[in-house]
Coordinates of all heavy atoms in Angstrom, one line a residue:
M1 N 145.1 120.8 113.6 CA 145.3 119.3 113.9 C 145.9 119.2 115.3 O 146.9 119.9 115.6 CB 146.1 118.7 112.8 CG 146.2 117.1 113.0 SD 147.1 116.3 111.6 CE 145.8 116.5 110.4
K2 N 145.4 118.3 116.1 CA 146.0 118.1 117.4 C 147.4 117.5 117.4 O 147.8 117.0 116.3 CB 145.1 117.2 118.3 CG 145.1 115.7 117.8 CD 144.3 114.9 118.8 CE 144.3 113.4 118.4 NZ 143.6 112.6 119.3
E3 N 148.1 117.7 118.5 CA 149.5 117.2 118.5 C 149.5 115.7 118.4 O 148.7 115.0 119.1 CB 150.2 117.6 119.8 CG 151.6 117.2 120.0 CD 152.2 117.6 121.3 OE1 151.5 118.3 122.1 OE2 153.3 117.2 121.6
V4 N 150.4 115.1 117.7 CA 150.5 113.7 117.5 C 151.8 113.2 118.0 O 152.8 113.9 118.0 CB 150.3 113.2 116.1 CG1 148.9 113.6 115.6 CG2 151.3 113.9 115.1
K5 N 151.8 111.9 118.5 CA 153.0 111.4 119.1 C 153.8 110.4 118.2 O 154.9 110.1 118.5 CB 152.7 110.7 120.4 CG 152.1 111.6 121.5 CD 151.7 110.9 122.7 CE 151.1 111.8 123.8 NZ 150.7 111.1 125.0
S6 N 153.2 110.0 117.1 CA 153.8 109.0 116.3 C 153.3 109.2 114.8 O 152.3 109.8 114.6 CB 153.5 107.6 116.7 OG 152.1 107.3 116.5
M7 N 154.1 108.7 113.9 CA 153.7 108.8 112.5 C 152.4 108.0 112.3 O 151.6 108.4 111.5 CB 154.8 108.3 111.6 CG 154.5 108.4 110.1 SD 154.1 110.1 109.6 CE 155.7 110.9 109.9
E8 N 152.3 106.8 112.9 CA 151.1 106.0 112.8 C 149.8 106.8 113.2 O 148.8 106.8 112.5 CB 151.2 104.8 113.6 CG 149.9 103.9 113.4 CD 150.1 102.5 114.1 OE1 151.1 102.3 114.7 OE2 149.0 101.8 114.1
E9 N 149.9 107.6 114.3 CA 148.8 108.4 114.8 C 148.5 109.5 113.8 O 147.3 109.8 113.5 CB 149.1 109.0 116.1 CG 148.0 109.7 116.8 CD 148.3 110.3 118.1 OE1 149.4 110.0 118.6 OE2 147.4 111.0 118.7
L10 N 149.6 110.1 113.2 CA 149.4 111.1 112.2 C 148.6 110.6 111.0 O 147.7 111.2 110.4 CB 150.7 111.8 111.8 CG 150.7 112.8 110.6 CD1 149.8 114.0 111.0 CD2 152.1 113.2 110.3
I11 N 149.1 109.4 110.5 CA 148.5 108.8 109.3 C 147.0 108.5 109.6 O 146.1 108.8 108.7 CB 149.2 107.5 108.9 CG1 150.6 107.9 108.4 CG2 148.4 106.7 107.9 CD1 151.5 106.7 108.2
K12 N 146.6 108.0 110.8 CA 145.2 107.7 111.1 C 144.4 109.0 111.1 O 143.2 109.0 110.7 CB 145.2 107.0 112.4 CG 145.7 105.5 112.3 CD 145.6 104.7 113.6 CE 146.1 103.3 113.4 NZ 146.0 102.5 114.6
L13 N 145.0 110.1 111.6 CA 144.3 111.4 111.6 C 144.1 111.8 110.1 O 143.0 112.4 109.8 CB 145.1 112.4 112.4 CG 145.1 112.3 113.9 CD1 146.0 113.3 114.5 CD2 143.6 112.6 114.4
K14 N 145.1 111.6 109.3 CA 144.9 112.0 107.9 C 143.8 111.2 107.2 O 143.0 111.7 106.4 CB 146.2 111.7 107.1 CG 147.4 112.6 107.5 CD 147.3 113.9 106.9 CE 148.6 114.7 107.2 NZ 148.5 116.1 106.6
L15 N 143.7 109.9 107.6 CA 142.6 109.1 107.0 C 141.2 109.6 107.4 O 140.3 109.6 106.6 CB 142.8 107.6 107.5 CG 144.1 106.9 107.1 CD1 144.0 105.5 107.5 CD2 144.3 107.0 105.6
K16 N 141.1 110.0 108.7 CA 139.8 110.6 109.1 C 139.5 111.9 108.3 O 138.4 112.2 107.9 CB 139.8 110.9 110.6 CG 139.8 109.6 111.5 CD 139.8 110.0 112.9 CE 139.8 108.7 113.8 NZ 139.9 109.0 115.3
E17 N 140.5 112.7 108.1 CA 140.4 113.9 107.4 C 139.9 113.7 105.9 O 139.1 114.3 105.4 CB 141.7 114.7 107.4 CG 141.8 116.0 106.6 CD 143.1 116.6 106.6 OE1 144.0 116.2 107.4 OE2 143.4 117.5 105.7
I18 N 140.5 112.7 105.3 CA 140.2 112.3 103.9 C 138.7 111.8 103.9 O 138.0 112.2 103.0 CB 141.1 111.2 103.4 CG1 142.5 111.7 103.3 CG2 140.6 110.7 102.1 CD1 143.6 110.6 103.1
E19 N 138.3 111.0 104.8 CA 136.9 110.5 104.9 C 135.9 111.7 105.0 O 134.9 111.7 104.3 CB 136.8 109.5 106.0 CG 137.4 108.2 105.8 CD 137.1 107.2 106.9 OE1 137.2 107.6 108.1 OE2 136.8 106.0 106.5
E20 N 136.2 112.6 105.8 CA 135.3 113.7 106.1 C 135.3 114.6 104.9 O 134.2 115.0 104.4 CB 135.8 114.5 107.3 CG 135.5 113.7 108.6 CD 136.2 114.4 109.8 OE1 136.7 115.5 109.6 OE2 136.2 113.8 110.9
K21 N 136.4 115.0 104.3 CA 136.4 116.0 103.2 C 136.0 115.4 101.9 O 135.5 116.1 101.0 CB 137.8 116.6 103.1 CG 138.2 117.5 104.3 CD 139.4 118.3 104.1 CE 139.7 119.2 105.3 NZ 140.9 120.0 105.1
E22 N 136.2 114.1 101.7 CA 135.8 113.4 100.4 C 134.5 112.7 100.5 O 134.0 112.2 99.4 CB 136.9 112.5 100.0 CG 138.3 113.1 99.6 CD 138.2 113.7 98.2 OE1 137.3 113.3 97.4 OE2 139.1 114.6 97.9
N23 N 133.9 112.7 101.7 CA 132.6 111.9 101.8 C 132.8 110.5 101.4 O 132.0 110.0 100.5 CB 131.5 112.6 101.1 CG 130.1 112.0 101.5 OD1 130.0 111.5 102.6 ND2 129.2 112.1 100.6
I24 N 133.7 109.8 101.9 CA 134.0 108.4 101.6 C 134.1 107.6 102.9 O 134.2 108.1 104.0 CB 135.3 108.2 100.7 CG1 136.5 108.7 101.6 CG2 135.2 109.0 99.4 CD1 137.8 108.3 101.0
K25 N 134.2 106.3 102.7 CA 134.6 105.4 103.8 C 135.8 104.6 103.3 O 135.8 104.0 102.3 CB 133.5 104.4 104.2 CG 133.9 103.4 105.3 CD 132.8 102.5 105.8 CE 133.3 101.7 107.0 NZ 132.2 100.8 107.5
I26 N 136.9 104.6 104.1 CA 138.1 103.9 103.8 C 137.9 102.5 104.3 O 137.6 102.2 105.5 CB 139.3 104.5 104.4 CG1 139.6 105.9 103.7 CG2 140.5 103.6 104.3 CD1 140.7 106.7 104.3
L27 N 138.0 101.5 103.4 CA 137.8 100.1 103.7 C 139.0 99.4 104.2 O 139.0 98.5 105.1 CB 137.2 99.3 102.5 CG 136.0 99.9 101.9 CD1 135.6 99.1 100.6 CD2 134.8 99.9 102.8
H28 N 140.2 99.8 103.7 CA 141.4 99.2 104.0 C 142.5 100.1 103.7 O 142.5 100.8 102.6 CB 141.6 97.9 103.1 CG 142.7 97.0 103.5 ND1 142.7 96.4 104.8 CD2 143.8 96.5 102.8 CE1 143.8 95.6 104.8 NE2 144.5 95.7 103.7
C29 N 143.5 100.2 104.6 CA 144.6 101.1 104.4 C 145.9 100.5 104.9 O 145.9 100.0 106.1 CB 144.4 102.5 105.1 SG 145.7 103.7 104.9
V30 N 146.9 100.5 104.1 CA 148.2 99.8 104.5 C 149.4 100.6 104.1 O 149.3 101.6 103.3 CB 148.3 98.5 103.8 CG1 147.1 97.6 104.2 CG2 148.3 98.6 102.3
E31 N 150.5 100.2 104.5 CA 151.8 100.6 104.0 C 152.2 99.7 102.8 O 152.0 98.5 102.9 CB 152.9 100.5 105.1 CG 154.3 101.0 104.8 CD 154.3 102.5 104.6 OE1 153.6 103.2 105.3 OE2 155.1 103.0 103.8
S32 N 152.7 100.4 101.8 CA 152.9 99.6 100.5 C 154.3 99.6 100.0 O 154.6 98.8 99.1 CB 152.0 100.1 99.4 OG 152.5 101.4 99.0
G33 N 155.2 100.3 100.6 CA 156.6 100.4 100.0 C 157.6 99.7 100.8 O 157.4 98.6 101.4
S34 N 158.8 100.3 100.9 CA 159.9 99.7 101.5 C 159.7 99.3 103.0 O 160.3 98.3 103.5 CB 161.2 100.5 101.4 OG 161.0 101.8 102.0
R35 N 158.9 100.1 103.7 CA 158.6 99.7 105.1 C 157.8 98.4 105.2 O 158.0 97.6 106.1 CB 157.8 100.9 105.8 CG 158.7 102.1 105.9 CD 157.9 103.3 106.6 NE 158.8 104.4 106.7 CZ 159.7 104.6 107.7 NH1 159.8 103.8 108.6 NH2 160.4 105.7 107.7
A36 N 156.9 98.2 104.3 CA 156.1 97.0 104.2 C 156.9 95.8 103.7 O 156.7 94.7 104.1 CB 154.9 97.1 103.4
W37 N 157.9 96.1 102.8 CA 158.8 95.1 102.3 C 159.9 94.7 103.3 O 160.5 93.6 103.1 CB 159.4 95.5 101.0 CG 158.4 95.7 99.9 CD1 157.3 95.0 99.7 CD2 158.5 96.7 98.8 NE1 156.6 95.5 98.5 CE2 157.3 96.6 98.0 CE3 159.4 97.7 98.5 CZ2 157.1 97.4 96.9 CZ3 159.1 98.6 97.4 CH2 158.0 98.4 96.6
G38 N 160.1 95.5 104.3 CA 161.0 95.1 105.3 C 162.4 95.6 105.1 O 163.4 95.0 105.7
F39 N 162.7 96.6 104.2 CA 164.0 97.1 104.0 C 164.1 98.6 104.0 O 164.8 99.2 103.2 CB 164.7 96.4 102.8 CG 163.9 96.5 101.5 CD1 163.7 97.6 100.8 CD2 163.4 95.3 101.0 CE1 163.0 97.7 99.6 CE2 162.7 95.3 99.8 CZ 162.5 96.5 99.1
A40 N 163.3 99.2 104.8 CA 163.3 100.7 104.9 C 164.6 101.3 105.5 O 165.1 100.7 106.4 CB 162.1 101.2 105.7
S41 N 165.0 102.4 105.0 CA 166.1 103.2 105.6 C 165.4 104.0 106.7 O 164.2 104.2 106.7 CB 166.7 104.1 104.6 OG 167.2 103.4 103.5
P42 N 166.3 104.5 107.6 CA 165.7 105.3 108.7 C 164.9 106.5 108.2 O 164.0 107.0 108.9 CB 167.0 105.8 109.5 CG 168.0 104.7 109.2 CD 167.7 104.3 107.8

């Protein structure tokens, strides 16, 4: 896997990997936990 500069970039690479290996199309992908709720710890 190529060098990534951010967690968001890593996540998007993971999504491409999932699509290729599982033969699927991802329709929608989000953050669902404390980061999306707005109270994440560092």
Side-chain angles (χ1 to χ4, degrees):
M1 185 174 287
K2 70 177 184 178
E3 182 181 355
V4 294
K5 297 179 181 178
S6 70
M7 184 55 66
E8 182 177 354
E9 187 178 354
L10 174 61
I11 289 168
K12 289 180 178 179
L13 285 172
K14 293 279 186 183
L15 298 183
K16 289 181 182 177
E17 179 184 341
I18 295 168
E19 287 184 315
E20 291 170 4
K21 292 190 175 180
E22 292 283 341
N23 189 27
I24 62 169
K25 179 175 182 178
I26 290 175
L27 304 177
H28 191 62
C29 179
V30 300
E31 184 69 30
S32 72
S34 60
R35 293 179 181 277
W37 295 326
F39 49 71
S41 302

